[in-house]
Amino acid sequence: MHLCVISRVSYNAARDVIFDNSAHYTERKLAKRSGGTRTIHEPSPHLKSLQAAIYRNCLSPVPVSPIAFAFEKGRNVASAARQHIGARSMIQLDVSNFYGSIGSQKVYSTFVAMGYPELLALETSLICSVEHRVVLRGPAEDGYVYEPLDWGVLPQGSSTSGKLSNLVCRDLDKVLQDVALREGASVTRYADDISFSMPRPMSRKKSERLLLELRQVLLSFDFAPNNKKTRVIPSAKEFKMLGLQIGQNKVWLDRRYKARIQGHLHGLRKFGLRDHSSSRGFGSDFEFCAHIWGHYAYCFDVDPDFAASLRVALIDAGVPRI
């Protein structure tokens, strides 16, 4: 009831979210640059309000691992990349189906570990999940009891999923950090992207041993490595990471990333906001505006001059800031 009050959602509506969660999400398929699609779950207004209240009051204040750089205030891709300045070798791993690998059982355990009563922890974990099926078992001494028929997973597109993924991954992050400390290396995790760098070149034998160990760590926490996106660079002075280039003294924007942004600007100038956003597969002008201004914020911390020119171009093209 407290959650319903602070989220301004009726008790009946909140219960409906738990029992009929699929009706409170709109699914959208987005194309991946690497091929295939990813499913985005957009929550209904009621569900969005409930999740926002849970995020503000329950999740936001809780600290996460120092190697987790996504979804945390004051941390971003650039700050993650800067941890690897001066690297001479690197192993990059990607987790396959990251959000789909985090079941609502783990989310429930996270809420319990934070001190919430078991029943409330179960309810909040279901509100933050998708694809679960749950029924009431019937009256019990302490009230009605839920019976999960199928556990769900974290939805990509929910305001709570990023923070919850970081909290669920705290034990994983601790093991990764221990491996890095043992090897005198640096490690960062940006959602499903893990980067492990050494300040010296690695032999092929050592890089293979470390890669095998890191894969086994992921598997021990029920995460499957995406072998297609795994990269081992035994010796180099520059590395590409999440659209950035990392060198011996600094971090800068990758030229291909800048070219994609310039492609958007060219399309805006030639076709206008509505036609360009539609041709690129965005669901609305609002969605494209949020996307492109997000890239502006991304660039600002790394290349202020490029970000400034991007800002001027967007204003000239009449793209409202979101």
Side-chain angles (χ1 to χ4, degrees), residues 296 299-309:
Y296 163 76
C299 296
F300 184 81
D301 192 42
V302 182
D303 190 336
D305 292 337
F306 179 76
S309 65

Side-chain angles (χ1 to χ4, degrees), residues 194-263:
I194 298 167
S195 299
F196 188 99
S197 70
M198 304 276 281
R200 56 192 177 278
M202 285 189 290
S203 66
R204 180 174 296 275
K205 183 177 180 180
K206 184 176 181 64
S207 62
E208 289 177 351
R209 178 184 65 78
L210 267 176
L211 177 59
L212 177 61
E213 181 179 6
L214 293 172
R215 280 176 168 162
Q216 289 174 337
V217 169
L218 288 177
L219 290 170
S220 70
F221 286 92
D222 301 321
F223 289 115
N226 185 341
N227 294 328
K228 291 183 179 180
K229 292 187 176 181
T230 296
R231 298 185 66 206
V232 178
I233 306 112
S235 180
K237 292 185 178 180
E238 293 182 6
F239 304 89
K240 182 178 178 179
M241 175 182 163
L242 299 170
L244 300 179
Q245 290 290 132
I246 305 169
Q248 295 301 294
N249 300 300
K250 65 177 183 177
V251 170
W252 65 97
L253 293 172
D254 177 68
R255 61 182 178 82
R256 292 179 183 175
Y257 174 82
K258 293 173 76 170
R260 288 197 298 273
I261 300 300
Q262 295 288 3

Side-chain angles (χ1 to χ4, degrees), residues 140-194:
E141 290 183 2
D142 55 351
Y144 283 87
V145 179
Y146 297 98
E147 180 181 1
L149 303 178
D150 293 306
W151 290 101
V153 296
L154 285 183
Q156 188 166 355
S158 163
S159 61
T160 51
S161 291
K163 182 73 177 198
L164 281 169
S165 71
N166 280 343
L167 295 175
V168 168
C169 287
R170 281 184 296 189
D171 289 341
L172 166 65
D173 291 345
K174 178 64 168 61
V175 176
L176 292 173
Q177 195 174 19
D178 287 344
V179 175
L181 288 171
R182 185 195 71 204
E183 299 291 339
S186 297
V187 63
T188 57
R189 184 180 60 79
Y190 193 88
D192 56 352
D193 289 288
I194 298 167

Side-chain angles (χ1 to χ4, degrees), residues 14 21 49 65 77 107 141 156 209 230 244 259 285 290 294 302 322:
N21 67 100
S49 296
S65 159
V77 172
V107 177
E141 290 183 2
Q156 188 166 355
R209 178 184 65 78
T230 296
L244 300 179
D285 294 352
V302 182
I322 304 298

